[in-house]
Amino acid sequence: MKIVQAASELFPFVKTGGLADAVGSLARTLADQGHEVSVFLPGYRAVLEHRDAAGAARRLRLKIEMGDVFLTGDVRVFSPGKNLTVYLICREEFFDRRGLYGNGERDFEDNHHRFIFFSKAVVETLRLLDSQADVVHCHDWQTALLPVLLRYAERRHGLTLALKTVFTIHNIAFQGIFPMRSFYRTNLPDDLLGIDGFEYYGQINMLKGGILFSDRVTTVSPRYAKEIQTAEFGCGLEGVVATRAEDLVGLLNGIDTAVWNPATDALLPAKYSAANPAGKLACRTELLKQHSLDPRFKGAVFGMVCRFAEQKGLDFVLANKNFFLAENCRLIVLGSGERRYEEALNDLAAAAPDRVSISMRLDEPMSHLIEAGSDFFLMPSLFEPCGLNQMYSQAYGTIPLVSRVGGLVDTVTDADEQPEAGTGLSFPPTAEGLLDGLERALKLFADKPRFAAVQQRGMKKDFSWAKAGLAYEQLFRDSL
Ligand code: ADP
Ligand code: GLC
């Protein structure tokens, strides 16, 4: 099949979260399965500076209609692997910036223009290349206009650019809501602005349009596919999602085992596997050392790597600070994001520098060392569409402590509830829930044979993308 992917992030070129990992792995998996895969990505500064994209050649010059003006842009192209081509949509005004969506303090004010331009540029590139895609697969609000833009462009030019469109929701909490008046930039007809179109409480909602106007809708775990049809998790779009229930499916992400495998991970001081787990201890020692914690410490080490956002349950961690200050354990957190969390976590580390260590930055190598060197990994999320770190944790013999939401339910089995099958500990998404998980973790840690059995089961699980890739392939074929 000819498959087009359009997304606002792509590992290893540009990443703020799991979206980049998911799209990067999916594209490569489909290419490995023999499909012809093109990925469209904004030509952010970070991508153009990336060494593997340095050779990207300018292929096309674009003139994009944006309301009553035409804006120019470039398409640069490179191929990071067999069957795989990356198209960078470049326009300095929009993408030559430090951040992807904002400057760290708040979102860029022209994000609607940036991503309307991006989506229109994808359509125009497909038209100029004159190649018909079997499937155009879009991800999250930034590309949610694409399905409807494609259909209108096809009508206008009398040609077929995509046989089918698929839209994947990675996180329904981010919807791309903008003032109604910005819609004229799309040059789409006003009759799309009604209640059964983009309109959302007097504004426009990009994600809503993606859900309504694509042929198939997917999300990143079976559990989340059910959750987003409820008021508790649907973030106001539960009714809209429910109208697509027949075309909606939850396909679990995989993990990229070329990047996340303790037996081959070059970022670790020692490699290890289920059959030969000894190297994990050296990783633990190095992790403690690098955080100025006593490397001979014998108690439980809890690790956490995440965006500092409410979603990730940091409030529950902070509510349990007495646990981390009093119990025989250490806490190591890596992340960045909202200032209130950075400050509160800093205060916690300052209160007990010999027990708690917080690092605030994006640090890919450190995220690997935390996965390898910790005994337990914390993911007490309020909601979690899929989540990747709980899968990395299991692969690395680190026992995940997760709340019972979204993809965490689909990927972690509680070891107390199912002693023969458990690979982690799970609890309700509350501060008390997390405390229960932490207390059970210490009991598990004290019971070495049981702890090792849970580790072993996790390490032997198959989270590879091969499985997930086949599920997408099947979905694409079914839709065709
Ligand atoms: P989300 O996409 O909601 O942030 P996921 O669990 O799907 O959550 O993916 C998060 C990804 O981002 C993981 O690969 C995680 O290791 C990575 N990550 C998050 N924060 C950092 C950080 N500060 N440094 C390095 N990697 C990070
Ligand atoms: C989103 C979700 C996360 C998911 C990722 C990749 O960022 O928050 O749970 O794993 O997308 O699909």
Side-chain angles (χ1 to χ4, degrees):
M1 282 182 278
K2 270 192 184 173
I3 299 166
V4 170
Q5 299 281 339
S8 60
E9 300 187 21
L10 180 68
F11 185 84
F13 305 105
V14 61
K15 160 169 168 176
T16 69
L19 172 69
D21 295 285
V23 178
S25 307
L26 174 61
R28 195 139 36 76
T29 305
L30 292 168
D32 287 346
Q33 288 166 356
H35 302 291
E36 196 184 307
V37 182
S38 312
V39 187
F40 283 80
L41 181 71
Y44 304 108
R45 183 186 297 171
V47 183
L48 295 175
E49 285 174 352
H50 194 281
R51 66 187 143 78
D52 296 337
R58 187 197 287 178
R59 172 80 68 82
L60 293 171
R61 185 111 184 108
L62 301 175
K63 231 173 114 183
I64 304 297
E65 189 180 18
M66 293 274 289
D68 46 13
V69 293
F70 280 86
L71 300 181
T72 56
D74 285 330
V75 185
R76 290 170 194 247
V77 183
F78 67 102
S79 171
K82 190 165 171 243
N83 296 339
L84 193 56
T85 311
V86 177
Y87 291 83
L88 301 175
I89 302 295
C90 304
R91 180 176 163 84
E92 283 176 17
E93 177 203 356
F94 288 148
F95 302 121
D96 186 17
R97 303 182 186 179
R98 245 167 52 108
L100 265 56
Y101 314 120
N103 57 14
E105 291 283 298
R106 57 199 151 99
D107 286 351
F108 296 132
E109 274 168 21
D110 59 352
N111 274 344
H112 44 318
H113 292 159
R114 299 169 75 224
F115 290 104
I116 290 172
F117 177 83
F118 175 69
S119 299
K120 295 190 98 174
V122 175
V123 176
E124 182 63 1
T125 306
L126 293 176
R127 190 182 75 83
L128 293 173
L129 293 177
D130 195 22
S131 82
Q132 190 182 81
D134 290 300
V135 175
V136 172
H137 184 185
C138 318
H139 303 264
D140 279 353
W141 76 260
Q142 292 88 348
T143 58
L145 263 182
L146 200 39
V148 73
L149 282 172
L150 275 168
R151 294 307 174 221
Y152 276 82
E154 288 175 337
R155 248 179 260 173
R156 180 163 155 193
H157 300 290
L159 40 81
T160 305
L161 298 170
L163 295 180
K164 293 289 170 191
T165 57
V166 176
F167 181 64
T168 295
I169 304 168
H170 292 263
N171 193 338
I172 205 165
F174 299 104
Q175 301 180 355
I177 297 175
F178 300 107
M180 190 74 99
R181 64 174 184 284
S182 46
F183 196 71
Y184 86 99
R185 294 276 190 187
T186 64
N187 301 94
L188 288 167
D190 280 350
D191 56 14
L192 287 173
L193 278 177
I195 179 94
D196 46 7
F198 284 84
E199 194 273 342
Y200 186 76
Y201 296 101
Q203 297 188 288
I204 57 165
N205 184 319
M206 302 281 207
L207 197 81
K208 183 183 174 199
I211 295 168
L212 289 176
F213 298 117
S214 49
D215 293 307
R216 295 289 178 105
V217 182
T218 81
T219 186
V220 287
S221 68
R223 174 71 169 227
Y224 195 61
K226 290 201 188 106
E227 287 175 349
I228 56 177
Q229 299 181 55
T230 68
E232 192 185 352
F233 292 99
C235 298
L237 286 183
E238 55 277 6
V240 177
V241 175
T243 65
R244 297 301 314 269
E246 291 211 344
D247 300 308
L248 169 70
V249 56
L251 302 179
L252 209 53
N253 290 327
I255 66 176
D256 186 337
T257 46
V259 179
W260 290 98
N261 177 356
T264 55
D265 191 334
L267 296 169
L268 302 183
K271 303 192 197 339
Y272 61 95
S273 63
N276 196 356
K280 188 167 167 68
L281 182 60
C283 296
R284 188 186 195 273
T285 305
E286 182 63 21
L287 175 68
L288 292 168
K289 228 193 256 171
Q290 288 203 17
H291 287 83
S292 308
L293 299 169
D294 179 1
R296 291 157 310 175
F297 176 66
K298 292 278 178 291
V301 176
F302 294 96
M304 186 166 184
V305 180
C306 65
R307 290 183 288 115
F308 287 175
E310 193 186 7
Q311 172 187 348
K312 299 299 175 181
L314 291 156
D315 292 300
F316 305 150
V317 173
L318 290 164
N320 282 301
K321 64 176 174 226
N322 289 338
F323 176 93
F324 297 107
L325 295 178
E327 296 297 336
N328 187 31
C329 67
R330 297 291 177 262
L331 173 65
I332 297 174
V333 183
L334 168 68
S336 63
E338 289 177 37
R339 182 153 306 156
R340 59 184 168 137
Y341 293 122
E342 296 194 351
E343 285 171 2
L345 288 164
N346 258 336
D347 290 348
L348 178 58
D354 54 338
R355 299 177 142 265
V356 178
S357 172
I358 313 292
S359 309
M360 294 199 224
R361 55 176 190 269
L362 269 172
D363 187 338
E364 194 76 27
M366 182 53 72
S367 71
H368 284 241
L369 187 59
I370 292 178
E371 282 293 5
S374 304
D375 301 305
F376 296 95
F377 193 92
L378 300 182
M379 264 180 110
S381 307
L382 273 79
F383 62 92
E384 196 62 75
C386 177
L388 298 172
N389 284 100
Q390 81 282 9
M391 294 190 268
Y392 301 155
S393 297
Q394 289 169 76
Y396 279 62
T398 299
I399 295 172
L401 263 58
V402 303
S403 43
R404 281 183 194 157
V405 293
L408 301 175
V409 175
D410 293 320
T411 52
V412 177
T413 309
D414 189 282
D416 287 332
E417 279 175 13
Q418 296 194 48
E420 301 304 315
T423 58
L425 297 171
S426 63
F427 40 81
T430 58
E432 300 72 40
L434 174 58
L435 181 60
D436 166 60
L438 290 167
E439 284 169 347
R440 289 195 289 132
L442 292 187
K443 281 197 196 117
L444 177 58
F445 191 68
D447 183 346
K448 291 296 178 229
R450 196 161 74 92
F451 180 79
V454 177
Q455 279 183 311
Q456 281 286 322
R457 270 197 295 273
M459 294 183 83
K460 288 179 183 152
K461 264 170 99 166
D462 177 11
F463 290 114
S464 71
W465 257 100
K467 214 155 77 179
L470 290 175
Y472 276 98
E473 187 183 88
Q474 192 57 48
L475 171 89
F476 296 161
R477 286 199 200 288
D478 287 351
S479 76
L480 290 166

